Amino acid sequence: MTKKFDYEIVYEYLKDKIKNNLSPNEKIPSENELCKLFDLTRTTVRQGINKLKNEGIISSKQGSGYFVAQEKINYTLSQNTVFSKEILKLGKTPKIKILDIQIITPDDFILKKFGVIKNQSILKITLIRIVDNIPILLGYSYLNTTLTPNIDLKIVSTNSFTKTFKEYGLVPIRNHSELEIVPSNQEYMQILQMQNNLPLIKIASTSIDKKSKQIIEYVESYFRSDLVKISIDFNKNEEVAFLTN
């Protein structure tokens, strides 16, 4: 029988306690309490706590201790998914924070996504989507400016891209999505206020106008895997590709 390290005893004790006795956002025992309970050093206890933290099971609040992570948001991906509607259905408040807007000369990858000729300008929007004041995804949205002229003036104050598209007479539907698990980095961790280096769930999607079939948007969304789980609704004709490295 393999002998357990001391920090693993702390880890398993806390994991079992969280599963059976504690609720989301409830505080776990302090480091001092755990040191006394197991007669272990603070360094060893902290190893066990950090393992839970790195798995997204707990989070820390400066000066207050460690708390059970909140329940994950169940985000359903389908042909007609609208982020704001999905979040409102859960009784939560969605917001958009625009980090950057710029007209770019698209590279070959983006040109291929839109099926356009070179020298056509594309609007790139970098944004954070926020739920109940917590950032849950970093997004890079590329818009077809021939279909949405001057949209940069409207998008800065919107909480729904879909509503803004409808102002142009467009009805966006998602016609293709790719889902991939990607590593995080310091930039993503800082922007999304992540306390751990858990991977991100990347969803790259193309949306077209329902009537004209022209491509409106290509977007890459990086979801926090500690806060979000993805459901896919195959009853709504969603085309999804799963990518593995």
Side-chain angles (χ1 to χ4, degrees), residues 11 31 55 90-91 102 104 161 180 211 226:
Y11 164 81
E31 290 181 2
E55 291 178 2
L90 299 173
Q102 59 178 311
I104 65 168
F161 277 31
E180 184 178 6
K211 184 177 180 180
D226 59 332

Side-chain angles (χ1 to χ4, degrees), residues 75-107:
Y75 183 75
T76 302
L77 186 65
S78 73
Q79 190 176 56
N80 300 304
T81 295
V82 177
F83 181 87
S84 58
K85 286 185 178 180
E86 285 294 309
I87 300 305
L88 287 170
K89 282 193 300 186
L90 299 173
K92 299 179 181 294
T93 303
K95 293 181 182 177
I96 295 175
K97 181 179 180 180
I98 304 295
L99 300 182
D100 186 50
I101 300 178
Q102 59 178 311
I103 296 291
I104 65 168
T105 301
D107 57 22

Side-chain angles (χ1 to χ4, degrees), residues 123-181:
L123 185 69
K124 180 182 178 182
I125 302 172
T126 305
L127 60 95
I128 301 173
R129 290 194 181 268
I130 300 168
V131 176
D132 290 349
N133 297 316
I134 299 174
I136 70 162
L137 78 82
L138 174 65
Y140 300 97
S141 175
Y142 300 85
L143 301 180
N144 185 341
T145 53
T146 59
L147 297 179
T148 56
N150 300 317
I151 195 172
D152 53 316
L153 303 177
K154 299 181 179 183
I155 215 73
V156 292
S157 59
T158 188
N159 277 328
S160 172
F161 277 31
T162 299
K163 287 183 179 179
T164 305
F165 293 151
K166 288 181 178 179
E167 294 179 25
Y168 291 89
L170 302 170
V171 179
I173 57 172
R174 185 181 281 103
N175 75 323
H176 180 77
S177 293
E178 294 178 353
L179 190 151
E180 184 178 6
I181 304 301

Side-chain angles (χ1 to χ4, degrees), residues 28 49 70 77 104-105 172 208 217 230:
I28 70 169
I49 290 174
Q70 63 180 316
L77 186 65
I104 65 168
T105 301
I208 62 173
E217 178 188 34
I230 306 296

Side-chain angles (χ1 to χ4, degrees), residues 204-243:
S205 297
T206 304
S207 294
I208 62 173
D209 176 44
K210 187 174 183 179
K211 184 177 180 180
S212 69
K213 308 303 180 185
Q214 288 183 282
I215 297 173
I216 304 171
E217 178 188 34
Y218 169 71
V219 60
E220 295 179 349
S221 300
Y222 295 83
F223 289 82
R224 288 179 56 171
S225 62
D226 59 332
L227 296 180
V228 179
K229 59 182 177 180
I230 306 296
S231 298
I232 298 172
D233 190 344
F234 288 106
N235 293 320
K236 295 183 179 179
N237 300 318
E238 175 74 355
E239 182 183 349
V240 179
F242 298 91
L243 302 182

Side-chain angles (χ1 to χ4, degrees), residues 5 7 12 27 35 43 67 92 139-140 167 184 187 210:
F5 291 105
Y7 80 88
E12 290 181 1
K27 190 174 182 179
C35 287
T43 300
F67 295 79
K92 299 179 181 294
Y140 300 97
E167 294 179 25
S184 183
E187 179 184 7
K210 187 174 183 179

